[in-house]
Amino acid sequence: PTCAPRSAAESRHPHRSPRNAMALEHLTVIDLTHMLSGPYGTMLLADLGARTIKVEPPGTGEGTRRLLENDPHHAVDGMGPYFLTLNRNKQSVCIDLKSPAGREVFLDLVKTADVVFDNFSVGVPRRLGIDHESLARVNPRIITCSVTGFGETGPQTQRPAFDQVVQAMGGGMSITGTPDTGPMRSGIPIGDLGGGIFGAIGVLAALAERERTGLGQHVDVSMLDAQISMLNYMATMYLVSGQVPKGIGNGHFVHVPYNCYPTADGHIIVACIGDAFFERFAEFADIPELRDPALKSQPVRFAAKARIDELVAAKFRTQPTAHWQRLLEEARIPCGPVNDFAQALHDPQVRAREMVVDVTLASGKTVSLPGNPVKLSGAAGAAFTSPPTLGAHTHAVLSALPGYDEARLAALRAAGAIA
């Protein structure tokens, strides 16, 4: 079952043939998330068309509504960059989940929804009476997803966790940086973002299984688990050899030259993977020492890594990044400039892929945001709507539910159960 009222979705997605419908616009997601990991997961689902109803506490709303809301450089219409980005394409309904009347309203909303997504601490949904077992009693098809720091099983479920905590515990920080700099966190919050991505994947997997069984289930995602998963082949290397890897900066533990090199005006990445690329690079670079036949062997190159990096760096310092990028591309050698945000977000390829989109706010102002990276050939492209004001859709969403006439809504507002 899905929510019958589709007024907001219909305004976002005018009538199309089925082939041109957005991939998830037949689904309704109830979004109980806050801060970053959970809202990013539901943002991905909303970008793909899911009707996403953000349930917020009356009065304060979700925490990121207040974050940087008055920052003179980053806020627009009283919304900071967190809220602007993570809550586009969503509706806002204010329900007090701590009150019996509010919980009853929430359960009525769940009856016709597909997914309930949260990133509360472990145990909070059960204490509120909105855990999967409770929700499945009113809707056996409901899929619930909880993204937590350490997951819902194991000895550390009650530990609080934020992005950098799981980055550190997940091992990735230990190989970022060098022995001289020490551990270094990722510049983007991959601990939070990884949890949201895997949460969205888990929801999609549960929806696919529901097609076969007709039943929903619970998705348990740990941010720490996500970090361990992303160690990938490097974890396997340790598990096979017992050798603990160290930080190697921007270099590679197999390939040479594979590093970040300074140029006359910035930095450039060169990634020579395998003997064939090295031979092509040696020809391109025209550095006599790199023509040594012995360097055609990877073990010899790796043993000479420091010297090769020194020679390549000295060469690249003589000209600007654009000069080297053009020549490297002509030689078909994998390379790329180290872009700052201005360069990355104005890159022609990024713009061609619609990875920067303009969103019109309720005030009529336009703000640019990162786009949706998932491109589906058989579905309509993403449409982006303004993040909602607090409780903007409470009346429209609830009045469409059976039994919610004006008198009942007024009574619920007077009791503080909704706003």
Side-chain angles (χ1 to χ4, degrees), residues 211-223:
E211 292 296 309
R212 294 188 295 108
T213 66
L215 296 174
Q217 61 182 296
H218 181 59
V219 179
D220 168 13
V221 171
S222 155
M223 291 162 59

Side-chain angles (χ1 to χ4, degrees), residues 23-71:
L24 302 183
E25 67 177 31
H26 61 297
L27 300 173
T28 296
V29 175
I30 300 178
D31 180 353
L32 297 176
T33 65
H34 61 285
M35 294 307 291
L36 182 52
S37 63
Y40 186 68
T42 53
M43 183 205 79
L44 296 173
L45 300 174
D47 282 356
L48 292 170
R51 183 192 187 202
T52 303
I53 302 171
K54 186 177 183 67
V55 174
E56 303 185 69
T60 59
E62 189 255 300
T64 60
R65 280 191 178 274
R66 306 279 78 88
L67 199 58
L68 299 176
E69 64 178 331
N70 296 315
D71 186 283

Side-chain angles (χ1 to χ4, degrees), residues 155-231:
Q156 299 185 359
T157 60
Q158 297 304 310
R159 287 188 58 180
F162 292 100
D163 171 79
Q164 194 161 341
V165 173
V166 296
Q167 281 200 44
M169 294 182 65
M173 276 183 64
S174 73
I175 57 171
T176 306
T178 68
D180 292 331
T181 65
M184 188 74 65
R185 74 171 180 89
S186 169
I188 59 173
I190 59 169
D192 281 327
L193 298 177
I197 292 168
F198 280 96
I201 292 171
V203 164
L204 295 175
L207 286 166
E209 185 176 14
R210 193 179 70 176
E211 292 296 309
R212 294 188 295 108
T213 66
L215 296 174
Q217 61 182 296
H218 181 59
V219 179
D220 168 13
V221 171
S222 155
M223 291 162 59
L224 179 60
D225 290 355
Q227 295 301 292
I228 296 296
S229 173
M230 290 190 286
L231 295 179

Side-chain angles (χ1 to χ4, degrees), residues 51 115 126 132 148 156 168 172 183 189 270 306 358 364 372 395:
R51 183 192 187 202
V115 177
R126 184 173 295 277
H132 180 78
T148 60
Q156 299 185 359
V270 172
D358 291 333
N372 173 20
H395 187 275

